[in-house]
Amino acid sequence: SDHDQYFSYDNCGDTGVLSFSLDESDTEAFYANVFTAESDCCLTDVMLCSTDPEDTLKVTIYTNLTNPKNPVSGEASPVFVYQGLPQGYSEVALSSGVSVKAGEPFAVTVKASGKAGSHIPCELGMEDYQLVKNRTGYYYGSFNSVALSTQQMEKYYDRGQSYISTDGKAWTDTADVHRITNIGRYALVMGNVSVRAYGVDAGTVKFSAPSGEAAIGEEITLTSAEGADIYYKINGGSFVKYKSPITFTEEMALTAYADTGSKTAKTVHYRQKRAALSSLLLYGESGKEYADLSEGVYTLNARDDAFIQPISVGEITVNGEAFTSGQKYMIRQKDSQTGIVIRVEQDGMLPAEYRINVKDMTSRPIPNGIYYVPGEGIAVEFRNGTATEKQPDGTEKVFTYEQTRRGIWEFRYDDGTVTYQADMWFISDGGFLHGYMNMIGDAQTVYYEYLNPLSFAAYPAYTDAQLSNYTLKSFKNFRGKDADSVELTETNDVIILDFYNGKNLVETLFCDRFGLMFTGDMKLWYYSLPQYRRADLNGDKAVNIADAVMMQRILTEQAPDKAPSASALAAADLSCDGVLTVYDTMLLMDMLNRATNHRA
């Protein structure tokens, strides 16, 4: 928006690089585009495309060309040198403007030099070799990820636009450049080179904030590409000579002209800039999509792993809590009741708010499976409206649960009913759920961490007495040390195991409620309990990949090496749906993955 004229030919983009040598041993190359200005203008910037960040790019602009087919046949500008540009396109400013006249052909030439390689960025298309085999002047190049057809390029390029040279003196029109390749019947055809130019109309002033928005305290600079004196006025006052940047303090109309022959005045109406998101990614049932930030209010149809991803240079809050730009905010069930409000603030700018309305989250059922209450040692299996709760002392409590209205659940015990408002968050990872539900009640709030979709029969939760007995028996096998007692301490995350010989502490280890014992650095772990015993299809008193392989062989009707017993086969129904399916194999693999990766 801060330029009036734009000069470009490579509409298909940088789709290839070119070398003059078959072995890509060039250390320098020259390329150029010849443009024509529609009106008098001053070139202020160029866009270069670097093929290697270590290349040095030297730009010279030639005006008043005497021969439009020779890019260097005019008056040369100073040489503008650029180094260390990242690979790809970069817009860079000219240290001094270059004036061109209306209807005058001018050339932007580039000398690229560096280590041996291909130094000319350009469009490369593919053509049937039979059509070009009689042409001469073959060069050598390679494709990037996009292979253009010649027809695509011919929509935009023509003779007299782009040129290449080995020495900067003798130039070849790229419309005559082709390559015979070693890929059968096809040949590469070159289009335009990748170099562009920008300019402002002659006699006009360039505003540092051309959009008409500025933050309070922001300085607005005025420049003349020709280096002429600038005069300006604010809100229709008298013109005064520009000497220093103008500080924006309130809404105003700024008018300025450069003291050239035309004295063309330009006015920009300024208002206070509003902070904003630079992007907002929404991910729901319809997949990923970037929000139209001009709307301000959005609707997201949620799914298990729905999220939003706001990005801004300002300070972001999501529902009043500070949020890091670029972080993913995972949609929670309560968001469908309250909505999501994103607020962006930045010094000197008006705050901006965006609202997201979330649908279809509060009516979701509780996923079947085993949940854990951290810090309490309580494990609960929720399954199809009936739940079994296991306490650390081994007592069990059975209750039923039902969603009575959106987001409201009743847990019905023998001695009464508790009503909760649910805050659920689940994400699907490779087809398996991870997440939690927070049941918020008047008297208490219970946090349930989802573990897996199994039943207690397949994935038992153990009592303190069982954990003490088994971990003490397994300690020597695990650590090679003797201990005669162990003390258990429940924490929010794990159970602490202090092993003693008499009154002497031998070592401190950790375990979970399901029989996994491990060291403090989580590098060594040990199954101290016979968990997953029901999934032991081959009867080796261990559950591992061999059982998953056997289950797969059974499902594909291949005779296993050892036929499982009827009880073991029935017990392998980990999903508890009454039939052995591929889903049970997936559950077994998920169970093994969680056990080996969650802690270790």
Side-chain angles (χ1 to χ4, degrees), residues 103-131:
E104 171 195 329
F106 66 94
V108 181
T109 69
V110 181
K111 177 184 178 182
S113 56
K115 61 187 179 183
S118 298
H119 297 280
I120 302 179
C122 60
E123 301 169 316
L124 281 181
M126 183 175 284
E127 187 175 282
D128 192 307
Y129 169 61
Q130 299 300 320
L131 301 178

mmCIF file of all heavy atoms in Angstrom, residues 103-131:
data_model
loop_
_atom_site.group_PDB
_atom_site.id
_atom_site.type_symbol
_atom_site.label_atom_id
_atom_site.label_comp_id
_atom_site.label_asym_id
_atom_site.label_seq_id
_atom_site.Cartn_x
_atom_site.Cartn_y
_atom_site.Cartn_z
ATOM 1 N N GLY A 103 6.636 5.431 -20.167
ATOM 2 C CA GLY A 103 6.917 4.839 -21.462
ATOM 3 C C GLY A 103 8.362 4.495 -21.696
ATOM 4 O O GLY A 103 8.721 3.978 -22.757
ATOM 5 N N GLU A 104 9.212 4.736 -20.701
ATOM 6 C CA GLU A 104 10.652 4.487 -20.855
ATOM 7 C C GLU A 104 10.997 3.067 -20.409
ATOM 8 O O GLU A 104 10.699 2.675 -19.293
ATOM 9 C CB GLU A 104 11.434 5.488 -20.015
ATOM 10 C CG GLU A 104 12.928 5.194 -19.910
ATOM 11 C CD GLU A 104 13.600 5.983 -18.778
ATOM 12 O OE1 GLU A 104 13.140 7.102 -18.498
ATOM 13 O OE2 GLU A 104 14.557 5.459 -18.185
ATOM 14 N N PRO A 105 11.628 2.261 -21.269
ATOM 15 C CA PRO A 105 12.087 0.947 -20.812
ATOM 16 C C PRO A 105 13.287 1.092 -19.880
ATOM 17 O O PRO A 105 14.185 1.903 -20.140
ATOM 18 C CB PRO A 105 12.466 0.219 -22.101
ATOM 19 C CG PRO A 105 12.780 1.303 -23.076
ATOM 20 C CD PRO A 105 11.932 2.484 -22.703
ATOM 21 N N PHE A 106 13.280 0.346 -18.807
ATOM 22 C CA PHE A 106 14.408 0.328 -17.877
ATOM 23 C C PHE A 106 14.661 -1.112 -17.458
ATOM 24 O O PHE A 106 13.762 -1.973 -17.568
ATOM 25 C CB PHE A 106 14.155 1.220 -16.661
ATOM 26 C CG PHE A 106 13.032 0.738 -15.764
ATOM 27 C CD1 PHE A 106 13.304 -0.070 -14.660
ATOM 28 C CD2 PHE A 106 11.711 1.098 -16.012
ATOM 29 C CE1 PHE A 106 12.281 -0.515 -13.832
ATOM 30 C CE2 PHE A 106 10.692 0.669 -15.184
ATOM 31 C CZ PHE A 106 10.973 -0.142 -14.095
ATOM 32 N N ALA A 107 15.855 -1.406 -17.001
ATOM 33 C CA ALA A 107 16.230 -2.775 -16.650
ATOM 34 C C ALA A 107 16.692 -2.838 -15.195
ATOM 35 O O ALA A 107 17.433 -1.965 -14.727
ATOM 36 C CB ALA A 107 17.332 -3.278 -17.568
ATOM 37 N N VAL A 108 16.261 -3.870 -14.487
ATOM 38 C CA VAL A 108 16.773 -4.195 -13.158
ATOM 39 C C VAL A 108 17.675 -5.409 -13.340
ATOM 40 O O VAL A 108 17.196 -6.507 -13.651
ATOM 41 C CB VAL A 108 15.647 -4.499 -12.167
ATOM 42 C CG1 VAL A 108 16.222 -4.799 -10.791
ATOM 43 C CG2 VAL A 108 14.666 -3.338 -12.095
ATOM 44 N N THR A 109 18.977 -5.214 -13.189
ATOM 45 C CA THR A 109 19.939 -6.296 -13.408
ATOM 46 C C THR A 109 20.493 -6.771 -12.076
ATOM 47 O O THR A 109 20.633 -5.986 -11.137
ATOM 48 C CB THR A 109 21.100 -5.837 -14.299
ATOM 49 O OG1 THR A 109 21.898 -4.886 -13.597
ATOM 50 C CG2 THR A 109 20.576 -5.214 -15.589
ATOM 51 N N VAL A 110 20.803 -8.052 -12.008
ATOM 52 C CA VAL A 110 21.352 -8.656 -10.789
ATOM 53 C C VAL A 110 22.586 -9.470 -11.149
ATOM 54 O O VAL A 110 22.551 -10.279 -12.091
ATOM 55 C CB VAL A 110 20.320 -9.565 -10.086
ATOM 56 C CG1 VAL A 110 20.921 -10.167 -8.815
ATOM 57 C CG2 VAL A 110 19.043 -8.807 -9.765
ATOM 58 N N LYS A 111 23.663 -9.247 -10.410
ATOM 59 C CA LYS A 111 24.831 -10.118 -10.478
ATOM 60 C C LYS A 111 24.845 -10.941 -9.196
ATOM 61 O O LYS A 111 24.979 -10.406 -8.100
ATOM 62 C CB LYS A 111 26.126 -9.317 -10.592
ATOM 63 C CG LYS A 111 27.377 -10.206 -10.580
ATOM 64 C CD LYS A 111 28.656 -9.384 -10.591
ATOM 65 C CE LYS A 111 29.891 -10.290 -10.540
ATOM 66 N NZ LYS A 111 31.157 -9.494 -10.512
ATOM 67 N N ALA A 112 24.655 -12.260 -9.330
ATOM 68 C CA ALA A 112 24.657 -13.165 -8.179
ATOM 69 C C ALA A 112 25.963 -13.927 -8.164
ATOM 70 O O ALA A 112 26.352 -14.541 -9.165
ATOM 71 C CB ALA A 112 23.483 -14.135 -8.265
ATOM 72 N N SER A 113 26.652 -13.897 -7.035
ATOM 73 C CA SER A 113 27.928 -14.612 -6.931
ATOM 74 C C SER A 113 28.019 -15.312 -5.589
ATOM 75 O O SER A 113 27.459 -14.867 -4.584
ATOM 76 C CB SER A 113 29.099 -13.634 -7.098
ATOM 77 O OG SER A 113 29.025 -12.583 -6.156
ATOM 78 N N GLY A 114 28.737 -16.429 -5.585
ATOM 79 C CA GLY A 114 28.885 -17.221 -4.362
ATOM 80 C C GLY A 114 29.602 -18.510 -4.674
ATOM 81 O O GLY A 114 30.352 -18.610 -5.647
ATOM 82 N N LYS A 115 29.355 -19.526 -3.857
ATOM 83 C CA LYS A 115 30.004 -20.813 -4.076
ATOM 84 C C LYS A 115 29.411 -21.496 -5.304
ATOM 85 O O LYS A 115 28.367 -21.088 -5.821
ATOM 86 C CB LYS A 115 29.846 -21.693 -2.846
ATOM 87 C CG LYS A 115 28.409 -22.004 -2.480
ATOM 88 C CD LYS A 115 28.328 -22.747 -1.153
ATOM 89 C CE LYS A 115 26.878 -23.029 -0.774
ATOM 90 N NZ LYS A 115 26.772 -23.687 0.554
ATOM 91 N N ALA A 116 30.090 -22.526 -5.797
ATOM 92 C CA ALA A 116 29.649 -23.237 -6.991
ATOM 93 C C ALA A 116 28.218 -23.729 -6.820
ATOM 94 O O ALA A 116 27.865 -24.301 -5.794
ATOM 95 C CB ALA A 116 30.586 -24.399 -7.293
ATOM 96 N N GLY A 117 27.402 -23.491 -7.841
ATOM 97 C CA GLY A 117 26.013 -23.926 -7.766
ATOM 98 C C GLY A 117 25.172 -23.235 -8.822
ATOM 99 O O GLY A 117 25.685 -22.700 -9.808
ATOM 100 N N SER A 118 23.849 -23.247 -8.620
ATOM 101 C CA SER A 118 22.909 -22.580 -9.519
ATOM 102 C C SER A 118 22.493 -21.266 -8.875
ATOM 103 O O SER A 118 22.039 -21.245 -7.735
ATOM 104 C CB SER A 118 21.681 -23.460 -9.751
ATOM 105 O OG SER A 118 22.060 -24.674 -10.385
ATOM 106 N N HIS A 119 22.610 -20.173 -9.611
ATOM 107 C CA HIS A 119 22.437 -18.855 -9.015
ATOM 108 C C HIS A 119 21.296 -18.043 -9.623
ATOM 109 O O HIS A 119 21.071 -16.909 -9.192
ATOM 110 C CB HIS A 119 23.738 -18.055 -9.139
ATOM 111 C CG HIS A 119 24.883 -18.659 -8.393
ATOM 112 N ND1 HIS A 119 25.060 -18.520 -7.039
ATOM 113 C CD2 HIS A 119 25.913 -19.450 -8.825
ATOM 114 C CE1 HIS A 119 26.148 -19.162 -6.662
ATOM 115 N NE2 HIS A 119 26.685 -19.741 -7.731
ATOM 116 N N ILE A 120 20.588 -18.587 -10.609
ATOM 117 C CA ILE A 120 19.533 -17.809 -11.256
ATOM 118 C C ILE A 120 18.160 -18.358 -10.838
ATOM 119 O O ILE A 120 17.785 -19.465 -11.238
ATOM 120 C CB ILE A 120 19.667 -17.844 -12.791
ATOM 121 C CG1 ILE A 120 21.033 -17.298 -13.213
ATOM 122 C CG2 ILE A 120 18.544 -17.036 -13.438
ATOM 123 C CD1 ILE A 120 21.273 -17.326 -14.709
ATOM 124 N N PRO A 121 17.380 -17.595 -10.050
ATOM 125 C CA PRO A 121 16.031 -18.028 -9.693
ATOM 126 C C PRO A 121 15.072 -17.688 -10.838
ATOM 127 O O PRO A 121 15.122 -16.603 -11.415
ATOM 128 C CB PRO A 121 15.719 -17.207 -8.447
ATOM 129 C CG PRO A 121 16.489 -15.940 -8.652
ATOM 130 C CD PRO A 121 17.737 -16.312 -9.399
ATOM 131 N N CYS A 122 14.185 -18.616 -11.172
ATOM 132 C CA CYS A 122 13.345 -18.383 -12.345
ATOM 133 C C CYS A 122 12.162 -19.338 -12.354
ATOM 134 O O CYS A 122 12.044 -20.242 -11.536
ATOM 135 C CB CYS A 122 14.161 -18.573 -13.623
ATOM 136 S SG CYS A 122 14.845 -20.241 -13.790
ATOM 137 N N GLU A 123 11.304 -19.111 -13.346
ATOM 138 C CA GLU A 123 10.247 -20.059 -13.656
ATOM 139 C C GLU A 123 10.824 -21.137 -14.571
ATOM 140 O O GLU A 123 11.532 -20.825 -15.527
ATOM 141 C CB GLU A 123 9.099 -19.363 -14.386
ATOM 142 C CG GLU A 123 8.466 -18.227 -13.622
ATOM 143 C CD GLU A 123 7.519 -17.423 -14.491
ATOM 144 O OE1 GLU A 123 7.892 -17.139 -15.649
ATOM 145 O OE2 GLU A 123 6.440 -17.077 -14.010
ATOM 146 N N LEU A 124 10.545 -22.388 -14.252
ATOM 147 C CA LEU A 124 10.935 -23.493 -15.134
ATOM 148 C C LEU A 124 9.708 -24.341 -15.410
ATOM 149 O O LEU A 124 9.009 -24.746 -14.470
ATOM 150 C CB LEU A 124 12.034 -24.349 -14.502
ATOM 151 C CG LEU A 124 13.473 -23.826 -14.566
ATOM 152 C CD1 LEU A 124 14.419 -24.817 -13.903
ATOM 153 C CD2 LEU A 124 13.911 -23.576 -15.993
ATOM 154 N N GLY A 125 9.451 -24.591 -16.679
ATOM 155 C CA GLY A 125 8.324 -25.430 -17.052
ATOM 156 C C GLY A 125 8.785 -26.684 -17.760
ATOM 157 O O GLY A 125 9.944 -26.809 -18.168
ATOM 158 N N MET A 126 7.874 -27.633 -17.903
ATOM 159 C CA MET A 126 8.207 -28.900 -18.560
ATOM 160 C C MET A 126 7.476 -28.983 -19.895
ATOM 161 O O MET A 126 6.307 -28.638 -19.995
ATOM 162 C CB MET A 126 7.810 -30.070 -17.660
ATOM 163 C CG MET A 126 8.178 -31.426 -18.230
ATOM 164 S SD MET A 126 7.823 -32.759 -17.056
ATOM 165 C CE MET A 126 9.182 -32.556 -15.920
ATOM 166 N N GLU A 127 8.182 -29.452 -20.913
ATOM 167 C CA GLU A 127 7.613 -29.550 -22.253
ATOM 168 C C GLU A 127 8.042 -30.860 -22.885
ATOM 169 O O GLU A 127 9.120 -31.382 -22.603
ATOM 170 C CB GLU A 127 8.083 -28.363 -23.097
ATOM 171 C CG GLU A 127 7.429 -28.273 -24.470
ATOM 172 C CD GLU A 127 7.859 -27.006 -25.197
ATOM 173 O OE1 GLU A 127 7.326 -25.928 -24.870
ATOM 174 O OE2 GLU A 127 8.736 -27.112 -26.074
ATOM 175 N N ASP A 128 7.197 -31.378 -23.763
ATOM 176 C CA ASP A 128 7.529 -32.590 -24.493
ATOM 177 C C ASP A 128 8.790 -32.353 -25.321
ATOM 178 O O ASP A 128 8.846 -31.433 -26.142
ATOM 179 C CB ASP A 128 6.368 -32.982 -25.410
ATOM 180 C CG ASP A 128 6.529 -34.385 -25.962
ATOM 181 O OD1 ASP A 128 7.603 -34.667 -26.532
ATOM 182 O OD2 ASP A 128 5.587 -35.171 -25.826
ATOM 183 N N TYR A 129 9.790 -33.188 -25.112
ATOM 184 C CA TYR A 129 11.086 -33.032 -25.775
ATOM 185 C C TYR A 129 10.963 -33.048 -27.302
ATOM 186 O O TYR A 129 11.693 -32.362 -28.007
ATOM 187 C CB TYR A 129 12.032 -34.132 -25.310
ATOM 188 C CG TYR A 129 13.303 -34.250 -26.113
ATOM 189 C CD1 TYR A 129 14.192 -33.177 -26.181
ATOM 190 C CD2 TYR A 129 13.614 -35.417 -26.807
ATOM 191 C CE1 TYR A 129 15.363 -33.287 -26.929
ATOM 192 C CE2 TYR A 129 14.771 -35.527 -27.551
ATOM 193 C CZ TYR A 129 15.643 -34.455 -27.605
ATOM 194 O OH TYR A 129 16.787 -34.547 -28.337
ATOM 195 N N GLN A 130 10.001 -33.802 -27.819
ATOM 196 C CA GLN A 130 9.856 -33.897 -29.280
ATOM 197 C C GLN A 130 9.565 -32.532 -29.904
ATOM 198 O O GLN A 130 9.859 -32.293 -31.065
ATOM 199 C CB GLN A 130 8.724 -34.869 -29.621
ATOM 200 C CG GLN A 130 8.948 -36.285 -29.116
ATOM 201 C CD GLN A 130 10.204 -36.914 -29.691
ATOM 202 O OE1 GLN A 130 10.491 -36.736 -30.867
ATOM 203 N NE2 GLN A 130 10.951 -37.645 -28.878
ATOM 204 N N LEU A 131 8.998 -31.617 -29.097
ATOM 205 C CA LEU A 131 8.640 -30.309 -29.623
ATOM 206 C C LEU A 131 9.804 -29.328 -29.595
ATOM 207 O O LEU A 131 9.747 -28.287 -30.232
ATOM 208 C CB LEU A 131 7.479 -29.733 -28.810
ATOM 209 C CG LEU A 131 6.188 -30.568 -28.788
ATOM 210 C CD1 LEU A 131 5.160 -29.897 -27.911
ATOM 211 C CD2 LEU A 131 5.647 -30.745 -30.204
#
